[in-house]
Amino acid sequence: MTNVTNIRDHIANSGLKVTPQRIAVYKALLDIKDHPTAEMVKQHISRDNPSVSLGTVYKTLEKFEEKNLIAKVRTEDDVMRYDPILDKHHHLFCQKTEQIGDYYDEELNQLLNEYFQTKNIPNFKIEDIKLHIIGEFIDK
Amino acid sequence: MTNVTNIRDHIANSGLKVTPQRIAVYKALLDIKDHPTAEMVKQHISRDNPSVSLGTVYKTLEKFEEKNLIAKVRTEDDVMRYDPILDKHHHLFCQKTEQIGDYYDEELNQLLNEYFQTKNIPNFKIEDIKLHIIGEFIDK
DNA sequence: TTTGGTGCAAACTCTTTGCAGGGTC
DNA sequence: GACCCTGCAAAGAGTTTGCACCAAA
């Protein structure tokens, strides 16, 4: 899915026009992996596309989210970060490096589902549960 | 703990000077309950203390967090919200009203602890786990 | 009296918007 | 050719900062 043809299709299928900027932004999200900020996307892109403006990056990310190609990730500090992965997953937040990792765990999801099927929260209808797992990455 | 004498002590014990503004801010957090924004705190306060500036509210909240009297809560949109409750708890996010509720569940905490004692995440040391429970409040 | 807090306004950061020109389908 | 997208710069929201004055300990 990292190859350009697939990205083109991916964007086109969502009903958006395919432009070099959009391909570059999407590719950057996949390349960087660490849930980049808009600024990081612009930096990454600017090697090959120096003229892409930050405004366009924002607009593009906005459009992508609107079309469900990507998701926003809110962090403890004040910048929005973006995630090209839409499968249900949780996030690992490193307190030291600001790095954000993905955490997939179907067993855990199921455990939580079961838990909240019996124990239910008064006056609240659950749509989704996201774990914020806070700690730090260790070089093993 | 909502009475002023206790608030005075609470602030004083943290090493901060006790001022009318600080008492008002702390009281506002307890009164409003719904994890208010700085702006909401100012609104709430301004009934009795019309001259308190928004800047001071921010500085006060900042100091409080620094001294661990309150915690910041980050939401899906772009404003910081503040929480005077420091006991371990999770948050209920209402998609419709932006309301944020508290969710205490010691059984759940224990379940998660046990789960992550056996299943461990490669290269990551867990410090804390916060659930973001997303959905909506229902008038029963 | 000393130290730290307040109020105000200006500055800052991140993000959004308006608009004229240009590219995609 | 119609429509949508881009780049730029200006505006906007939320938050922080600098500084002179003032209040708490």
Side-chain angles (χ1 to χ4, degrees), chain A residues 56-106:
Chain A
T56 297
V57 172
Y58 274 109
K59 282 175 186 164
T60 301
L61 291 167
E62 173 91 26
K63 280 283 175 206
F64 282 177
E65 202 219 357
E66 209 176 296
K67 301 292 185 182
N68 286 308
L69 297 179
I70 67 171
K72 291 184 175 182
V73 180
R74 184 152 301 285
T75 64
E76 285 312 299
D77 46 62
D78 233 336
V79 268
M80 189 71 77
R81 298 174 66 160
Y82 299 87
D83 189 348
I85 297 173
L86 297 176
D87 302 343
K88 180 168 175 65
H89 64 287
H90 306 284
H91 284 133
L92 306 168
F93 293 87
C94 182
Q95 293 176 314
K96 295 218 168 141
T97 63
E98 313 268 272
Q99 195 186 341
I100 300 175
D102 289 318
Y103 180 64
Y104 298 88
D105 188 339
E106 208 33 62

Side-chain angles (χ1 to χ4, degrees), chain A residues 12-80:
Chain A
N13 289 339
S14 75
L16 295 173
K17 284 191 179 167
V18 177
T19 67
Q21 292 88 339
R22 286 181 174 166
I23 294 169
V25 168
Y26 196 89
K27 208 159 163 346
L29 287 174
L30 295 176
D31 285 356
I32 300 175
K33 291 194 179 65
D34 183 24
H35 307 74
T37 63
E39 186 60 48
M40 285 160 78
V41 170
K42 174 163 164 37
Q43 292 306 324
H44 187 92
I45 287 179
S46 64
R47 291 203 301 256
D48 299 326
N49 310 55
S51 73
V52 175
S53 75
L54 185 56
T56 297
V57 172
Y58 274 109
K59 282 175 186 164
T60 301
L61 291 167
E62 173 91 26
K63 280 283 175 206
F64 282 177
E65 202 219 357
E66 209 176 296
K67 301 292 185 182
N68 286 308
L69 297 179
I70 67 171
K72 291 184 175 182
V73 180
R74 184 152 301 285
T75 64
E76 285 312 299
D77 46 62
D78 233 336
V79 268
M80 189 71 77

